[in-house]
Amino acid sequence: MSFTVKKMLQLALLALLLATPITLTYLNIRCDNLSKDIALALNRNLTSLSTAVLELPENQTDAKSMNDLVTLVLSSRSLRSVAYFKNDHYLYSDRDASLNGSISSSLKARLKTEPLPLLYRKCSTLNKIEEVHLVVKGKSGFYQLFMNARYMDDWLTNADEYLRGYVVSPDGSVIINKKKDFLFYKSYRSAQFPFTVIVGAKASQVLLGIGSLTAFIIILCMIIGLIANHIHTKNFSFRKDIDIAIKNKEFIPYYQPIVCNKTHHIVGSELLCRWLYRHKKLVAPNQFITKVELNGQIKPITLQLLKQLAVDKPIIAGNNPDFYVSVNFTLSMLSDPVFVNDVMCLIKQSPSLQRGLVFEMTERENTANAIIKLDKIMQRFRELGVRWALDDFGTGYSSLSSLKELNFDIIKIDRLFVNSADTDAVTSSILNNIALLGKELKCRLVAEGVETETQLNKLKSLDVDYTQGFYFSTPINREAFEEYKYQHEQKMLVANKKKQQCYSALKYHGPALDI
């Protein structure tokens, strides 16, 4: 994926169209929640202060009461002073136990026109300090709380690092912080005190939010595009490598011996694919088989392997006319009429493939829905001398009915049951049932993955016909298979000769004959 100027502009426009409503929605929700949170926090603070002063005795008759008032002021960060007045005259404060001054005319007017409690901002006439005044009604008089307005402003400013807000009275005058020109805002009105919290975002903040999110979306899309491009390029490179490998005939057959459990002779082999990369490095099948199956390249590979098998089979079979080679086929391969016709043409043209050829169909694919179609295809191949084996039996989708209807000649027992048959009672029981089923269906049984003599003896006791696995040999090339087969047969001849000699020695027990 190349990022041209045109594509970048299109991406930027798309990112902007996505970022704008997302940013506005987020800011709208955030302003709404923040205004509510600030109002609740301010309510708690004002309620706490109001409750504390109203619990003090109004007459201040002793030193302890005055000391409690001073302690209250000193313990609060926002509270500067508290004064008590009655009949429009101050009587005392936390700083002076005896006062005799009149309240301001503006406060007199507020008391007459506005409901309690009162909350407003005012600059002190004495020291020119900005204060927030809270006036609450006591039993007989009034408490006036003087709060540090600068502290309150800073508290509100620090409520959020991005959004800003301010507090206004019912008449619109600012109580805390400064009024701001917002592009949009949300407000929350207190039910306990006469104030409303307004939180919003300026045009510059909105643009910054949209710009930041747009940039993030662009970068994210570019990263996703690069990752997708890497995956696509990698897959394309893999397909290209496979195409080159097919052209250069780098896929070669390896053969794993299949041994008869009664005669111990090698009766066949399974053809397994190996990739000789650039004719130098051997690539294990688990690194490419699944991929080539998914992208369909397994079909030309299989055709190439069958062509090589046509040459190899007479050599590895030797003088055994019943020697067979099994080749793996998938349902998708058999569902391709072009591929099926190509395979049939190859068999017709190759006499060595017209006898002793077995196609293994894996049980990992669901064949239940394609029984009729498969039966016809399998029958066409049978007419060419091909037999059919069901691979990985017991681990996939096949039902007993489909097994009977498709009429397999061979059942291959999965290594899962073989490997744990000698240690797990349940698996051993399943293996026994598979063996009985195979005999009932008159199918040859081949056990895969045999690695120990114990496993081999277990299979023999169940009357399993053939075995294959590392106990005998790993998959090997044609030359190595020829050598292994020769050595194996030589060992069998020696073993049979010893048995015959032993039998002859045991047959006659009388005195030696003088001839």
Side-chain angles (χ1 to χ4, degrees):
M1 180 179 178
S2 59
F3 293 100
T4 61
V5 175
K6 182 179 179 181
K7 287 184 178 180
M8 286 299 296
L9 290 174
Q10 291 174 341
L11 178 60
L13 179 59
L14 177 62
L16 182 62
L17 292 175
L18 288 174
T20 300
I22 293 174
T23 302
L24 294 177
T25 302
Y26 167 77
L27 290 176
N28 189 56
I29 295 173
R30 181 62 186 146
C31 288
D32 193 31
N33 292 336
L34 187 59
S35 63
K36 182 179 180 181
D37 292 342
I38 292 172
L40 294 177
L42 189 56
N43 270 337
R44 286 193 297 269
N45 185 52
L46 296 178
T47 299
S48 176
L49 292 175
S50 301
T51 303
V53 296
L54 291 175
E55 288 177 349
L56 296 173
E58 294 186 20
N59 294 328
Q60 298 291 326
T61 57
D62 53 38
K64 182 181 181 303
S65 299
M66 181 60 68
N67 185 62
D68 290 341
L69 180 59
V70 173
T71 301
L72 172 63
V73 174
L74 293 176
S75 63
S76 174
R77 291 183 178 182
S78 59
L79 193 59
R80 296 186 66 250
S81 181
V82 177
Y84 178 79
F85 65 90
K86 185 177 181 180
N87 297 326
D88 298 338
H89 283 80
Y90 290 110
L91 301 182
Y92 61 85
S93 72
D94 61 292
R95 301 178 184 182
D96 194 340
S98 178
L99 293 175
N100 188 20
S102 299
I103 64 174
S104 65
S105 57
S106 60
L107 179 55
K108 289 181 183 179
R110 287 179 181 275
L111 290 172
K112 292 179 181 179
T113 58
E114 298 177 24
L116 293 173
L118 299 177
L119 185 66
Y120 57 93
R121 188 184 184 106
K122 185 178 180 182
C123 183
S124 172
T125 56
L126 296 176
N127 47 24
K128 305 300 180 181
I129 295 176
E130 292 284 329
E131 295 175 329
V132 174
H133 293 195
L134 173 64
V135 179
V136 294
K137 181 72 171 66
K139 292 181 180 179
S140 57
F142 301 86
Y143 284 103
Q144 187 173 10
L145 288 73
F146 302 89
M147 290 175 284
N148 190 328
R150 296 291 177 84
Y151 173 84
M152 303 292 284
D153 293 346
D154 291 341
W155 168 78
L156 186 54
T157 299
N158 295 326
D160 188 87
E161 62 181 2
Y162 181 69
L163 298 175
R164 295 293 178 262
Y166 59 95
V167 179
V168 297
S169 62
D171 63 1
S173 59
V174 177
I175 299 174
I176 302 175
N177 224 334
K178 295 180 180 179
K179 189 173 182 179
K180 297 174 176 61
D181 295 326
F182 292 138
L183 181 65
F184 69 89
Y185 63 88
K186 287 289 183 178
S187 62
Y188 187 89
R189 184 176 181 179
S190 171
Q192 299 170 264
F193 295 93
F195 71 83
T196 299
V197 176
I198 298 173
V199 175
K202 293 183 178 180
S204 59
Q205 292 173 305
V206 175
L207 292 175
L208 178 62
I210 293 174
S212 300
L213 185 57
T214 300
F216 173 77
I217 293 174
I218 291 173
I219 294 171
L220 181 62
C221 289
M222 291 179 68
I223 292 173
I224 293 173
L226 290 172
I227 293 173
N229 183 60
H230 173 72
I231 294 172
H232 174 75
T233 303
K234 187 176 180 181
N235 289 339
F236 178 78
S237 177
F238 175 81
R239 291 183 64 95
K240 188 176 179 180
D241 283 344
I242 295 296
D243 288 335
I244 294 172
I246 294 172
K247 182 179 179 180
N248 295 338
K249 298 183 179 180
E250 296 175 11
F251 294 101
I252 58 175
Y254 265 44
Y255 302 97
Q256 186 171 36
I258 298 174
V259 180
C260 177
N261 287 336
K262 290 183 178 179
T263 66
H264 303 289
H265 289 293
I266 297 176
V267 296
S269 70
E270 180 178 357
L271 185 153
L272 298 163
C273 180
R274 294 295 183 269
W275 183 5
L276 191 59
Y277 184 73
R278 300 298 185 261
H279 295 287
K280 295 178 180 179
K281 178 184 176 182
L282 197 65
V283 180
N286 60 356
Q287 297 182 28
F288 67 90
I289 284 293
T290 302
K291 289 184 179 180
V292 296
E293 284 182 352
L294 290 174
N295 62 28
Q297 290 174 303
I298 189 65
K299 298 170 187 176
I301 292 174
T302 302
L303 279 171
Q304 194 173 94
L305 293 174
L306 285 172
K307 290 177 182 178
Q308 186 60 47
L309 177 61
V311 178
D312 292 350
K313 189 172 177 295
I315 300 173
I316 62 177
N319 297 322
N320 183 2
D322 296 324
F323 187 92
Y324 78 91
V325 178
S326 60
V327 183
N328 288 289
F329 272 68
T330 64
L331 181 59
S332 59
M333 293 164 68
L334 295 172
S335 301
D336 184 347
V338 176
F339 173 74
V340 169
N341 288 332
D342 288 342
V343 174
M344 288 184 173
C345 289
L346 179 61
I347 294 174
K348 291 175 182 178
Q349 295 169 5
S350 308
S352 62
L353 298 182
Q354 295 169 12
R355 180 181 175 87
L357 183 61
V358 174
F359 288 166
E360 294 184 11
M361 188 159 59
T362 177
E363 198 195 1
R364 288 188 296 269
E365 294 182 292
N366 192 347
T367 60
N369 297 326
I371 289 178
I372 298 176
K373 185 177 180 180
L374 275 177
D375 186 48
K376 292 180 180 179
I377 295 172
M378 290 169 68
Q379 185 57 39
R380 289 174 63 192
F381 277 109
R382 279 196 175 94
E383 292 171 0
L384 298 177
V386 176
R387 289 182 295 163
W388 288 90
L390 179 61
D391 196 12
D392 303 320
F393 180 72
T395 62
Y397 292 97
S398 291
S399 63
L400 184 59
S401 59
S402 61
L403 185 61
K404 290 179 179 179
E405 289 183 55
L406 292 176
N407 192 25
F408 286 96
D409 304 286
I410 299 171
I411 293 177
K412 299 198 74 173
I413 303 171
D414 190 80
R415 65 182 68 245
L416 173 69
F417 302 107
V418 174
N419 290 343
S420 56
D422 53 347
T423 58
D424 184 75
V426 175
T427 305
S428 181
S429 176
I430 295 173
L431 183 60
N432 184 49
N433 289 333
I434 292 174
L436 293 174
L437 176 62
K439 297 302 178 184
E440 183 182 339
L441 295 173
K442 297 179 180 180
C443 294
R444 291 286 186 181
L445 293 171
V446 179
E448 296 181 290
V450 179
E451 297 180 357
T452 66
E453 188 173 358
T454 304
Q455 294 170 355
L456 178 61
N457 292 333
K458 174 68 176 180
L459 294 166
K460 286 180 179 180
S461 69
L462 296 175
D463 202 22
V464 173
D465 302 289
Y466 307 135
T467 51
Q468 75 178 84
F470 290 174
Y471 178 76
F472 299 104
S473 172
T474 60
I476 48 182
N477 60 28
R478 187 191 70 187
E479 292 77 12
F481 187 90
E482 284 183 82
E483 180 64 24
Y484 175 82
K485 186 169 178 285
Y486 173 78
Q487 292 180 359
H488 182 84
E489 294 301 326
Q490 289 299 115
K491 289 179 182 179
M492 290 299 303
L493 287 174
V494 172
N496 289 336
K497 187 175 181 180
K498 287 182 179 180
K499 287 182 181 180
Q500 186 64 35
Q501 289 174 347
C502 181
Y503 176 76
S504 299
L506 293 172
K507 187 174 181 180
Y508 180 72
H509 298 281
L513 300 178
D514 187 9
I515 299 177

